[in-house]
Amino acid sequence: MNTADLGLPVDVPSTALFTDQYELTMLQAALKAGTAERRSVFEVFTRRLPHGRRYGVVAGTGRVLDAVENFRFDPDVLGFLRERNIVDEQTLAWLADYRFSGDVWGYPEGEVYFPGSPLLRVEGTFAECVLLETVILSILNHDSAIAAAASRMASAAGDRPLIEMGARRTHELAAVAAARAAYVGGFATTSDLAAGFRYGIPTVGTSAHAFTLLHDHERDAFQAQVDTLGRGTTLLVDTYDVAEAVRTAVEVAGPELGAVRIDSGDLLLVAHRVRQQLDELGAAETKIVVTSDLDEYAIASLAAAPVDAYGVGTQLVTGSGHPTCSMVYKLVARAESGDPAAPLVPVAKKSSGGKTSVGGRKWAARRLDEDGVAEAEVVGTGPVPPELADRQLLVQLIKGGDVLGREPLDVPRSRHIAARANLPLSATQLSRGEPVLPTEYLTERSGS
């Protein structure tokens, strides 16, 4: 079953109002001025990575494709715009027939990126491209922030699996997107059933402290869970006394007990004590899962502990301190007139305060050193140097309005693992530092 094709409650019938009002007022003014049909190129990029981060992770691309495809102004949406007098009747008539018919190129989902990387390039008329700004940035900024945090946590965890369990710490729909982004970034499972239903992510979950507290005795709770879910279940052992709970858990489930979960206390110390106790009780194969407000630093601190898996919630769904990537969507080239054959002219914002941008329709490539390790992100306009021709990063995602870039979620997940492995070793350091790759610009004017 392809769950992505199902009509699910977590979806909405139209993404057209996931936008800012000024997108529509710009459209109205451009229609009146006769500039709306000028061929235009918009690019998504970030001027800098979050402070101290060494690389970014592209996530949400698949959701962007869905959003563009579902960007439709149905009668109810048009009625709302008319009632609020947001735009005039001419603009409403134009919106009624809106379908994106342009092209979209971008870094494939799961790829890493750096300051200035042209993560997404949207081409078409000004009118059809400008409307997509807010929803594209909303998705990419959120999902890429979660995926970057997930990637750092996955690096810290090594071969130990990570469980996404942040649904209760964020908006209910954001939780579904966060689970998806976390899976791309390296998490193995999620506790969120909507994410499992929508995207096919493996789901896990057993019981909370409330289940233990419900029963007269901890043994009764453990027995009920084992009777229902089998000996391979995971029992939560820190409701009362951990040592007593572990002893009871093994007595109830036997050495076939799947795992115990620890959700409080000094996790490093408690994990060592629990492992020793499990081994002494003959449950050498029983695994230890730890939770309790973990982030990448806490996970790294447990590297020497006998822990088999980590459950992460709050810090993951908030980007571990960086809930956005500060991506922007800027016009970088536009035609001299509305003639489809008119040449493109590079344009760029020039201002103080670090908000300048580089004009021109761009390509991007990753240069490797003699050992095949990435050494620079090269961004340019004009012809691509022959030595970088096979290292280009952008792929076509939409052509003439038709989506080309959909792929199973395991593909970007595997892509990210490969992309991260291709970076210098310092990329996985948790200490703050500069981007692990410099961004180099090549422009036509420089003869490149």
Side-chain angles (χ1 to χ4, degrees):
M1 176 179 65
N2 184 0
T3 56
D5 291 336
L6 296 174
L8 303 179
V10 295
D11 287 338
V12 293
S14 169
T15 54
L17 291 184
F18 290 166
T19 191
D20 292 309
Q21 180 168 316
Y22 80 168
E23 313 291 10
L24 300 188
T25 54
M26 281 193 288
L27 168 65
Q28 177 175 306
L31 288 170
K32 186 173 182 179
T35 53
E37 297 304 312
R38 286 189 176 185
R39 192 160 52 99
S40 299
V41 180
F42 287 82
E43 289 177 352
V44 175
F45 63 93
T46 185
R47 296 182 176 94
R48 61 192 66 85
L49 297 180
H51 182 61
R53 294 285 174 89
R54 296 171 184 258
Y55 63 91
V57 180
V58 179
T61 309
R63 296 208 306 122
V64 166
L65 299 180
D66 291 341
V68 172
E69 201 168 56
N70 292 325
F71 206 90
R72 303 284 187 268
F73 292 84
D74 58 37
D76 288 341
V77 170
L78 293 170
F80 165 78
L81 297 175
R82 179 178 289 109
E83 177 186 337
R84 296 293 182 93
N85 197 30
I86 304 295
V87 290
D88 61 19
E89 288 298 325
Q90 177 191 2
T91 306
L92 290 172
W94 190 94
L95 291 173
D97 295 327
Y98 180 85
R99 300 289 185 275
F100 180 73
S101 62
D103 299 336
V104 176
W105 294 72
Y107 279 40
E109 189 162 19
E111 184 57 85
V112 296
Y113 71 87
F114 300 91
S117 298
L119 305 178
L120 202 72
R121 192 174 71 222
V122 182
E123 305 182 18
T125 66
F126 175 85
E128 64 180 339
C129 295
V130 74
L131 293 180
L132 300 176
E133 174 182 9
T134 303
V135 70
I136 286 176
L137 289 179
S138 177
I139 293 170
L140 293 182
N141 269 312
H142 174 269
D143 290 23
S144 296
I146 305 304
S151 178
R152 286 163 59 84
M153 293 173 187
S155 292
D159 294 332
R160 299 170 179 177
L162 290 158
I163 306 164
E164 186 282 315
M165 47 196 304
R168 62 190 59 197
R169 303 301 189 205
T170 188
H171 185 280
E172 65 271 19
L173 297 186
V176 181
R180 182 187 184 282
Y183 190 71
V184 170
F187 274 58
T189 54
T190 180
S191 66
D192 191 80
L193 290 177
F197 187 39
R198 178 69 179 85
Y199 296 114
I201 302 170
T203 58
V204 295
T206 50
S207 68
H209 293 104
F211 185 74
T212 301
L213 295 169
L214 169 68
H215 293 79
D216 295 335
H217 303 285
E218 192 170 45
R219 177 182 295 273
D220 297 336
F222 288 173
Q223 189 66 63
Q225 185 174 327
V226 170
D227 288 347
T228 304
L229 301 179
R231 297 178 185 273
T233 191
T234 298
L235 295 176
L236 181 59
V237 295
D238 72 326
T239 305
Y240 305 118
D241 179 83
V242 173
E244 182 61 30
V246 171
R247 185 179 302 109
T248 302
V250 176
E251 289 176 358
V252 169
E256 300 86 10
L257 174 62
V260 295
R261 178 163 75 93
I262 307 166
D263 189 50
S264 60
D266 183 337
L267 297 179
L268 180 61
L269 176 62
V270 175
H272 277 288
R273 288 178 175 174
V274 169
R275 181 73 272 158
Q276 180 179 353
Q277 187 180 9
L278 286 170
D279 291 346
E280 290 173 351
L281 292 171
E285 299 302 315
T286 299
K287 299 184 183 303
I288 298 175
V289 180
V290 296
T291 52
S292 184
D293 289 329
L294 298 178
D295 61 10
E296 60 264 49
Y297 302 104
I299 292 169
S301 73
L302 293 169
V307 171
D308 297 288
Y310 306 92
V312 189
T314 303
Q315 291 301 318
L316 176 68
V317 298
T318 56
S320 195
H322 297 289
T324 182
C325 302
S326 298
M327 293 176 185
V328 295
Y329 182 96
K330 296 298 180 184
L331 181 67
V332 296
R334 51 87 175 167
E336 294 178 337
S337 71
D339 184 345
L344 289 173
V345 178
V347 295
K349 177 180 179 180
K350 295 181 180 179
S351 65
S352 59
K355 286 195 170 184
T356 58
S357 57
V358 178
R361 182 180 186 272
K362 299 175 195 68
W363 50 264
R366 191 160 297 148
R367 192 172 67 238
L368 308 181
D369 64 16
E370 58 186 12
D371 296 318
V373 178
E375 66 175 6
E377 193 88 338
V378 185
V379 177
T381 58
V384 180
E387 65 273 17
L388 295 176
D390 62 348
R391 299 298 309 167
Q392 293 189 73
L393 292 164
L394 277 77
V395 298
Q396 189 155 23
L397 302 170
I398 297 178
K399 182 177 182 180
D402 295 327
V403 173
L404 305 178
R406 282 201 179 90
E407 52 191 7
L409 200 54
D410 283 333
V411 174
R413 188 171 190 270
S414 298
R415 180 182 293 121
H416 176 62
I417 293 171
R420 190 176 62 201
N422 194 236
L423 296 175
L425 287 176
S426 59
T428 58
Q429 293 178 346
L430 296 182
S431 57
R432 289 180 174 178
E434 296 300 312
V436 72
L437 297 187
T439 303
E440 300 177 0
Y441 290 96
L442 301 178
T443 62
E444 287 185 277
R445 186 162 45 181
S446 64
S448 299

